[in-house]
Amino acid sequence: MGANTSQVSDLSDNPSLKALVGTESISENDPFWNQLISFTFISPTSSGDSKLLEEAVIPLAKTLIENNPRTGNFGALVRIFLGRTKELKISTECQDQLFIWQAHNALFMIRCLLKVFIREMSEEELQLQFSYQERAPGSEDLLEELLSNLVHLIVEVPLLDITYSILFEAVTSLLVFFSYQLFHKDILRDGIIYQHVMKGRCLSLTSRLVKTLLYNFIRQEKCPPPATHIFEPKAEGGLLYGLASGVASGLWSVFTLGGAGSKAGVDQEHNHLPLSNQSLLLLLVLANLTDGPDWPNPYRQAITCFRNTQDTSSLPVEQPHTFQINFNSLYTALCEQQRSDQATLLLYTLLHQNANMRTYMLSRTDMDNLVLPILEILYHVEERNSHHVYMALIILLILTEDDAFNRSIHEVVLKNISWYTERSLTEISLGSLLILVVIRTIQFNMTRTRDKYLHTNCLAALANMSAQFRCLHQYAAQRIISLFALLSKKHNKVLEQATQSLRGRQGDNTALPDYAQDLNVIEEVIRMMLEIINSCLCNSLHHNPNLVYALLYKRELFEQFRTHPSFQDIMQNLDTVIGFFSQRLEQAGSDLSVERVQEVIMKGAQALPKDRLKVSLSRRHLLLTVKSQIHTLGHPRRTGRRME
């Protein structure tokens, strides 16, 4: 960074950088600036090298903080950049690559310095760093002008190979500005940057900025390869090619730094979509800015009301900041990118807040393209962070609120699910696979995190689906009953511990473990499971012979709950079903084959009078009790008691 600098160790001794942060004021018309932003610095190739760069910049930035009040050189650097952005769109059209390259370098330097400034000073002090230079009366606020120009740059400059780098820097620089919130516990609703972005000159570009960031995410453009030089040689050995050939490959590496959510130790150069990733992060930051005291967040408004480009209907009431975008392209990108938690957060945001997008997604006939990546996140729960898992679960909850979705997933037949390794699934419906993955998540939670919140919401997703269970796979039916068996075993264990504790502590006045509350928690989960089984039997018994078979095979599991006061009402239907089919099997004879048992069950399901099963209202009650949790992304420990 700085003319002719090639590595991090050279930064502190670079004469151009020393002049920039030094004690002498440098006029904006000085040729120094053109030399400064024509550097051939080899940018970092890994997160470790990036950290070294940041550490090398810190002493330079701190020196500038001390001297800038007298020199105003930081403000001059910003003005040099702003002067070039005014002609950036024309430069792109004219393929003026040198101009774009220098503008990028100036912004790269500004971003590196800002990162230190924001960590070292308040917003008020930062604004002073922009104003330590004599300005003409009536001139613009330089900080607001920079923010406004960055937004203009993002929405107006087309995405090409030659503009990729500067667009990436513009998006990243805005993220750096918003990083102020990281250093404050309280929400910076009254902050200078917040005010500029929410109410200043940026406001008029709200819908264009959100649309551009979404399209950056949709396009998934890879960074131009290092072998493709940004500049073509003008003459053999010429100055232009001499500068450019060094920076074209060097700048490539700075764009391959990992985005948020990357696991430590992962090679950062695997991030081949830096602009897409950064655009998505900026979009999410904007969408989650808090509302002002008397105005809503305009960026959230834009995200919640945009429509499909194919939607030609007129709106009854004009919505602020609305725009149209290609829903098919957005849906495809969302399906392809769910391996990152930020893409999953975007999917959750759109499903939860944008009714147009939610309706479109639920109308798709290829929902497996969206649901399978979500199920894979839950399946690999050990490898994902808790936030990613909870977002994936809440997405399933939102989807399963729709009865048409719950019916359609049992009609989609999948073959050879490679990532499901517990058992070879050569052919299974999407609905049965969803049940298997959710049950596996519950069992993982019971042995590891043991959080009631996750249990409740996993079971709520199953409860949402239960009335529309159709043709459950044999393995899915077995896992439903196996989960009930595991819960029953835990219930008996806690009950035995409570009994032994009471016997062994007679005369001891010390506090007892809260076994009663533990029992209540487990019994609540057991009741949810019984509700799910009961709902399926009442609404679609004749569609699920495999569940009836599994129920009969493990009928002894339900004996202890028949007389339990908490389960007597819900056990009536299960007793009816078990008794009816048991009698049918006895009449069919002894030593029946599996095929013969299934045949008896299928014929019996057609013969069982529907009025013998009482439709329970408890499922409706269950859904109401978890409704307030469905759209919550809080930390799991804050929302529920542990399942011990």
Side-chain angles (χ1 to χ4, degrees), residues 18-127:
K18 291 171 72 174
L20 173 67
V21 304
T23 57
E24 298 295 327
S25 178
I26 305 171
S27 169
E28 294 174 35
N29 299 319
D30 196 302
F32 162 84
W33 297 107
N34 192 57
Q35 180 188 16
L36 178 71
I37 60 178
S38 298
F39 57 79
T40 56
F41 178 74
I42 304 301
S43 301
T45 56
S46 68
S47 58
D49 290 342
S50 180
K51 187 176 181 180
L52 289 176
L53 171 60
E54 292 180 18
E55 291 173 352
V57 170
I58 288 174
L60 291 168
K62 288 185 175 180
T63 302
L64 182 59
I65 292 172
E66 294 178 7
N67 294 328
N68 193 52
R70 295 184 296 276
T71 66
N73 285 343
F74 179 71
L77 175 61
V78 172
R79 291 180 186 281
I80 293 297
F81 167 71
L82 293 177
R84 279 164 168 73
T85 60
K86 294 174 182 177
E87 301 178 21
L88 204 55
K89 190 174 182 180
I90 298 175
S91 300
T92 303
E93 294 171 355
C94 299
Q95 296 288 302
D96 189 346
Q97 296 141 325
L98 178 61
F99 192 93
I100 298 169
W101 170 54
Q102 289 182 326
H104 164 271
N105 288 353
L107 182 55
F108 177 66
M109 296 177 70
I110 292 169
R111 174 171 69 87
C112 289
L113 293 169
L114 279 174
K115 199 167 184 180
V116 181
F117 286 5
I118 287 172
R119 188 166 55 191
E120 296 290 327
M121 63 184 71
S122 67
E123 285 186 273
E124 291 74 18
E125 292 171 324
L126 177 68
Q127 190 171 37

Side-chain angles (χ1 to χ4, degrees), residues 49-276:
D49 290 342
S50 180
K51 187 176 181 180
L52 289 176
L53 171 60
E54 292 180 18
E55 291 173 352
V57 170
I58 288 174
L60 291 168
K62 288 185 175 180
T63 302
L64 182 59
I65 292 172
E66 294 178 7
N67 294 328
N68 193 52
R70 295 184 296 276
T71 66
N73 285 343
F74 179 71
L77 175 61
V78 172
R79 291 180 186 281
I80 293 297
F81 167 71
L82 293 177
R84 279 164 168 73
T85 60
K86 294 174 182 177
E87 301 178 21
L88 204 55
K89 190 174 182 180
I90 298 175
S91 300
T92 303
E93 294 171 355
C94 299
Q95 296 288 302
D96 189 346
Q97 296 141 325
L98 178 61
F99 192 93
I100 298 169
W101 170 54
Q102 289 182 326
H104 164 271
N105 288 353
L107 182 55
F108 177 66
M109 296 177 70
I110 292 169
R111 174 171 69 87
C112 289
L113 293 169
L114 279 174
K115 199 167 184 180
V116 181
F117 286 5
I118 287 172
R119 188 166 55 191
E120 296 290 327
M121 63 184 71
S122 67
E123 285 186 273
E124 291 74 18
E125 292 171 324
L126 177 68
Q127 190 171 37
L128 288 176
Q129 294 293 331
F130 282 86
S131 59
Y132 286 137
Q133 189 176 36
E134 293 185 7
R135 298 186 296 172
S139 59
E140 297 287 348
D141 181 321
L142 194 56
L143 173 57
E144 183 178 15
E145 191 171 351
L146 176 59
L147 288 168
S148 176
N149 270 265
L150 290 175
V151 174
H152 273 280
L153 193 160
I154 293 169
V155 302
E156 292 180 355
V157 175
L159 176 54
L160 306 170
D161 279 359
I162 61 173
T163 60
Y164 193 103
S165 59
I166 194 165
L167 288 171
F168 172 85
E169 276 304 320
V171 171
T172 306
S173 295
L174 285 177
L175 281 170
V176 169
F177 272 115
F178 286 119
S179 68
Y180 254 120
Q181 186 63 69
L182 297 175
F183 304 99
H184 295 82
K185 293 181 179 179
D186 299 327
I187 297 173
L188 298 178
R189 190 178 289 111
D190 299 323
I192 296 171
I193 294 169
Y194 177 92
Q195 295 286 332
H196 285 325
V197 171
M198 297 284 274
K199 298 176 68 178
R201 292 159 55 186
C202 300
L203 183 62
S204 62
L205 296 171
T206 295
S207 59
R208 292 181 64 189
L209 178 59
V210 171
K211 184 175 182 178
T212 301
L213 294 174
L214 276 173
Y215 268 124
N216 286 348
F217 168 71
I218 289 170
R219 290 179 64 174
Q220 298 291 312
E221 291 284 351
K222 294 184 179 181
C223 195
T228 305
H229 294 308
I230 298 175
F231 305 94
E232 297 296 332
K234 300 298 181 182
E236 187 174 353
L239 173 63
L240 176 60
Y241 188 70
L243 287 173
S245 61
V247 76
S249 59
L251 288 179
W252 153 259
S253 55
V254 77
F255 308 139
T256 57
L257 299 178
S262 300
K263 281 189 174 289
V266 174
D267 191 347
Q268 301 298 326
E269 68 181 8
H270 287 189
N271 176 16
H272 298 304
L273 306 169
L275 179 60
S276 172

Side-chain angles (χ1 to χ4, degrees), residues 527 561-569:
R527 184 173 180 85
F561 299 106
R562 181 178 288 113
T563 57
H564 195 293
S566 299
F567 308 116
Q568 282 182 329
D569 59 333

